[in-house]
Amino acid sequence: MTTAEEEIRAAARKRARSKAAFERDDAALRELFIKWRAAGEGPSDMARWSDMTREWVAKIAPDPTAPPKRKVVVRRKNPTPDSD
């Protein structure tokens, strides 16, 4: 193997290990957000503690006591045909 090939293979292996660790830790953090949101902690506090945005935390762990959001259907009128 050439030096370039060895370096690239080693970096690719390191990246794969890092990605697996990130995904594992990200899943654990998401579970904690959901757990503590259900226990009454607010998304602003959890965002501050985790260096995430409040919006991201609220998306991952929505308020369990909030009523479900209604889907809005937008109906568009067909444009009137030109009269020739």
Side-chain angles (χ1 to χ4, degrees), residues 55-73:
E55 291 77 13
W56 190 85
V57 173
K59 182 178 178 182
I60 298 303
D63 185 1
T65 61
K69 291 185 178 181
R70 293 179 22 195
K71 292 185 180 180
V72 176
V73 177

Side-chain angles (χ1 to χ4, degrees), residues 14-41:
K14 184 177 179 181
R15 180 182 180 274
R17 286 191 307 271
S18 297
K19 183 179 178 185
F22 171 80
E23 289 173 352
R24 181 191 66 236
D25 296 341
D26 186 58
L29 183 59
R30 287 172 183 253
E31 288 176 16
L32 288 173
F33 285 153
I34 293 167
K35 171 187 171 184
W36 287 107
R37 183 71 171 130
E41 292 293 339

Side-chain angles (χ1 to χ4, degrees), residues 37-50:
R37 183 71 171 130
E41 292 293 339
S44 295
D45 290 330
M46 291 190 289
R48 191 171 43 253
W49 300 331
S50 64

